[in-house]
Amino acid sequence: MPRTIDYVYSLMSPWAYLGFDPFHAVAKKHGVIIRYRPMPILEVFNETGGLPLGKRPPTRQAYRWTELQRWRAIRNVPLVLRPKGFPFDHALADKLAIALVKLGQSPEAYLRAGHRAVWADDRNLGDEAELQRLLTENGYQADVAMAAAKSDAVAAEFIGNREYCIANGVFGAPSYVLDGEIFWGQDRVELLDLALASGRPPYRPDSDI
């Protein structure tokens, strides 16, 4: 039986963008099922001690810019360090992935394009018209997907992802959760790959395997 990874992310995270393709390559390599869990990231920060970028001390903000440049080079992808529309209201953009799953479609192509739209092409996905264009460009029925994304069922699932994060110790994006073990950050994809290859039991904070 295929294993399942809970993929917790937000389109507002450059780290989720940097890790998107490496993570999906690992998932395909091992034949795992991805359960997409877009998170209301600022709400999770509020509950878990995180700070939005603008409230972090200048030294931490400066180090973030340096790290982004390092990983941009390592992952060999284009990356706009300071997009014009950042931060943006990401709720509808992230809810669209939930909507696509409920419509029986894979959100992978949409998310790949969405990450790139924000972090490589400097498009504002807080703009509903921009989201509609993005969906159409990638072969989705924009009106159908948009209607589903605005539904009560999708809103409830988005809120449920917040509760999932708080209940399971997830505090940042991206996080990859395998059998309850959290791999936080795109720089943990390689460790996730090793864990899947080894078949080892999950590491827990309260145990010493």
Side-chain angles (χ1 to χ4, degrees):
M1 178 180 293
R3 302 172 78 181
T4 298
I5 294 175
D6 284 306
Y7 172 44
V8 186
Y9 66 93
S10 172
L11 286 167
M12 201 163 70
S13 168
W15 308 109
Y17 162 61
L18 288 166
F20 189 85
D21 282 335
F23 165 62
H24 281 77
V26 166
K28 289 179 173 65
K29 173 183 173 182
H30 294 284
V32 301
I33 296 169
I34 300 173
R35 184 183 294 124
Y36 293 91
R37 289 187 177 273
M39 68 190 296
I41 191 167
L42 296 182
E43 293 182 23
V44 173
F45 279 0
N46 288 338
E47 293 287 343
T48 60
L51 288 175
L53 180 61
K55 293 186 178 180
R56 296 174 196 170
T59 50
R60 289 181 177 269
Q61 292 190 43
Y63 188 77
R64 177 180 180 272
W65 305 130
T66 302
E67 277 284 271
L68 285 171
Q69 291 172 76
R70 289 173 180 154
W71 282 102
R72 175 174 62 185
I74 290 170
R75 298 298 190 203
N76 192 29
V77 293
L79 172 67
V80 177
L81 294 178
R82 297 171 176 83
K84 292 189 295 290
F86 181 87
F88 63 95
D89 183 352
H90 64 98
L92 183 57
D94 279 338
K95 286 177 182 177
L96 275 165
I98 299 173
L100 290 170
V101 172
K102 287 187 175 297
L103 291 168
Q105 301 172 56
S106 170
E108 182 179 344
Y110 162 71
L111 289 173
R112 178 173 288 106
H115 280 302
R116 188 175 180 88
V118 176
W119 297 105
D121 301 332
D122 206 1
R123 295 167 67 176
N124 180 12
L125 294 195
D127 181 343
E128 187 169 329
E130 194 70 72
L131 283 171
Q132 290 176 324
R133 283 191 289 272
L134 186 73
L135 287 162
T136 301
E137 289 165 2
N138 288 277
Y140 296 98
Q141 289 184 275
D143 55 344
V144 174
M146 278 291 188
K150 295 176 181 178
S151 69
D152 290 342
V154 167
E157 189 164 330
F158 193 52
I159 293 170
N161 287 344
R162 170 187 176 276
E163 303 307 315
Y164 166 87
C165 290
I166 294 167
N168 290 279
V170 177
F171 52 86
S175 291
Y176 319 102
V177 186
L178 175 65
D179 298 331
E181 181 179 348
I182 301 166
F183 296 79
W184 171 52
Q186 63 87 27
D187 53 345
R188 298 300 187 269
V189 169
E190 289 77 9
L191 296 181
L192 175 64
D193 187 12
L194 290 172
L196 286 164
S198 71
R200 64 165 175 78
Y203 295 147
R204 307 289 189 197
D206 56 353
S207 66
D208 184 10
I209 298 174

